[in-house]
Amino acid sequence: MNEYQKTLYLCIWLEDFSISDGILTFIDDVYCDYHNEIVLALRSIGAVKSSNIIRDAINILPADGECFLKTSTQELREKMRKLDQEFCSYTDGKLCSLYRKYVVKYFNEL
Protein backbone atom coordinates (compact mmCIF):
# COMPACT_ATOMS: atom_id res chain seq x y z
CA MET A 1 0.00 0.00 0.00
CA ASN A 2 1.49 3.37 -0.93
CA GLU A 3 1.21 6.50 1.24
CA TYR A 4 -1.84 7.85 -0.61
CA GLN A 5 -3.69 4.58 -0.22
CA LYS A 6 -2.64 4.33 3.42
CA THR A 7 -3.95 7.85 4.08
CA LEU A 8 -7.40 6.92 2.79
CA TYR A 9 -7.32 3.57 4.54
CA LEU A 10 -6.55 5.08 7.96
CA CYS A 11 -9.16 7.82 7.60
CA ILE A 12 -11.90 5.47 6.43
CA TRP A 13 -11.17 2.91 9.14
CA LEU A 14 -11.07 5.59 11.83
CA GLU A 15 -14.45 6.89 10.70
CA ASP A 16 -15.81 3.36 10.60
CA PHE A 17 -14.61 2.58 14.12
CA SER A 18 -15.82 5.90 15.48
CA ILE A 19 -19.33 5.17 14.27
CA SER A 20 -19.46 1.63 15.64
CA ASP A 21 -17.15 1.61 18.68
CA GLY A 22 -15.82 5.13 19.16
CA ILE A 23 -12.43 6.68 18.53
CA LEU A 24 -10.97 5.15 21.68
CA THR A 25 -11.18 1.61 20.30
CA PHE A 26 -9.32 2.70 17.20
CA ILE A 27 -6.53 4.72 18.80
CA ASP A 28 -6.07 2.66 21.97
CA ASP A 29 -6.52 -0.88 20.68
CA VAL A 30 -6.60 -1.38 16.95
CA TYR A 31 -4.19 1.17 15.52
CA CYS A 32 -2.23 2.21 18.58
CA ASP A 33 1.04 2.03 16.62
CA TYR A 34 -0.14 4.57 14.03
CA HIS A 35 -1.00 7.63 16.10
CA ASN A 36 1.10 10.13 14.16
CA GLU A 37 0.06 8.67 10.84
CA ILE A 38 -3.63 8.93 11.74
CA VAL A 39 -3.30 12.61 12.62
CA LEU A 40 -1.32 13.31 9.44
CA ALA A 41 -3.75 11.31 7.30
CA LEU A 42 -6.69 13.41 8.48
CA ARG A 43 -4.75 16.59 7.76
CA SER A 44 -3.84 15.28 4.31
CA ILE A 45 -7.48 14.89 3.31
CA GLY A 46 -8.33 18.34 4.69
CA ALA A 47 -9.94 17.27 7.97
CA VAL A 48 -7.90 19.62 10.16
CA LYS A 49 -10.48 19.94 12.97
CA SER A 50 -10.90 16.17 13.10
CA SER A 51 -7.14 15.79 13.12
CA ASN A 52 -6.89 18.09 16.14
CA ILE A 53 -9.60 16.13 17.95
CA ILE A 54 -7.80 12.84 17.38
CA ARG A 55 -4.49 14.42 18.43
CA ASP A 56 -6.13 15.60 21.66
CA ALA A 57 -7.56 12.12 22.27
CA ILE A 58 -4.17 10.51 21.66
CA ASN A 59 -2.56 12.97 24.07
CA ILE A 60 -4.71 11.77 26.97
CA LEU A 61 -3.87 8.10 26.43
CA PRO A 62 -1.47 6.63 29.00
CA ALA A 63 2.13 7.25 27.98
CA ASP A 64 3.18 3.75 29.04
CA GLY A 65 0.82 2.08 26.56
CA GLU A 66 -1.56 0.77 29.21
CA CYS A 67 -5.25 0.45 28.42
CA PHE A 68 -7.01 3.80 28.78
CA LEU A 69 -10.11 2.37 30.44
CA LYS A 70 -8.07 0.52 33.06
CA THR A 71 -5.94 3.49 34.08
CA SER A 72 -7.97 6.63 33.38
CA THR A 73 -9.87 8.80 35.82
CA GLN A 74 -13.54 9.65 35.47
CA GLU A 75 -12.50 13.13 34.32
CA LEU A 76 -10.33 11.71 31.51
CA ARG A 77 -13.08 9.31 30.45
CA GLU A 78 -15.49 12.21 30.23
CA LYS A 79 -12.99 14.20 28.17
CA MET A 80 -12.54 11.23 25.82
CA ARG A 81 -16.32 10.89 25.51
CA LYS A 82 -16.61 14.55 24.55
CA LEU A 83 -13.81 14.23 22.00
CA ASP A 84 -15.55 11.19 20.55
CA GLN A 85 -18.84 13.09 20.25
CA GLU A 86 -17.06 16.04 18.67
CA PHE A 87 -15.33 13.82 16.12
CA CYS A 88 -18.60 12.05 15.29
CA SER A 89 -20.34 15.37 14.70
CA TYR A 90 -18.22 15.83 11.55
CA THR A 91 -16.64 19.16 12.44
CA ASP A 92 -14.95 19.27 9.02
CA GLY A 93 -18.09 18.29 7.18
CA LYS A 94 -18.85 14.86 5.80
CA LEU A 95 -15.63 12.94 5.41
CA CYS A 96 -16.85 11.23 2.23
CA SER A 97 -16.66 14.61 0.50
CA LEU A 98 -13.09 15.03 1.67
CA TYR A 99 -12.22 11.50 0.53
CA ARG A 100 -13.57 12.30 -2.91
CA LYS A 101 -11.54 15.51 -3.19
CA TYR A 102 -8.43 13.64 -2.07
CA VAL A 103 -9.02 10.86 -4.61
CA VAL A 104 -9.59 13.35 -7.43
CA LYS A 105 -6.44 15.26 -6.48
CA TYR A 106 -4.23 12.17 -6.17
CA PHE A 107 -5.98 9.86 -8.62
CA ASN A 108 -2.81 8.98 -10.52
CA GLU A 109 -0.96 8.11 -7.33
CA LEU A 110 -3.70 5.82 -6.07
Side-chain angles (χ1 to χ4, degrees):
M1 187 178 315
N2 67 35
E3 287 304 309
Y4 299 98
Q5 294 165 338
K6 191 174 187 179
T7 293
L8 281 175
Y9 175 81
L10 288 172
C11 292
I12 291 168
W13 274 104
L14 171 61
E15 182 182 17
D16 223 25
F17 268 88
S18 70
I19 292 167
S20 61
D21 291 328
I23 61 174
L24 179 60
T25 301
F26 189 84
I27 63 174
D28 195 28
D29 295 340
V30 180
Y31 283 90
C32 59
D33 294 332
Y34 297 93
H35 289 163
N36 292 332
E37 290 176 83
I38 294 164
V39 171
L40 292 174
L42 287 166
R43 285 191 181 281
S44 293
I45 67 162
V48 176
K49 292 175 186 173
S50 296
S51 174
N52 291 337
I53 293 167
I54 297 302
R55 184 199 64 225
D56 291 347
I58 289 168
N59 285 338
I60 63 172
L61 293 175
D64 61 4
E66 287 294 316
C67 177
F68 178 81
L69 293 176
K70 289 182 182 177
T71 60
S72 62
T73 64
Q74 185 62 35
E75 181 182 335
L76 286 176
R77 287 185 196 134
E78 180 60 22
K79 185 172 182 178
M80 184 65 77
R81 187 188 66 75
K82 287 180 180 178
L83 290 168
D84 187 62
Q85 285 180 329
E86 193 176 350
F87 181 82
C88 291
S89 71
Y90 293 99
T91 58
D92 293 296
K94 294 210 180 248
L95 293 180
C96 61
S97 298
L98 297 175
Y99 301 150
R100 180 168 171 69
K101 288 179 185 176
Y102 185 82
V103 168
V104 167
K105 183 176 182 179
Y106 296 108
F107 183 77
N108 290 329
E109 287 80 2
L110 294 167

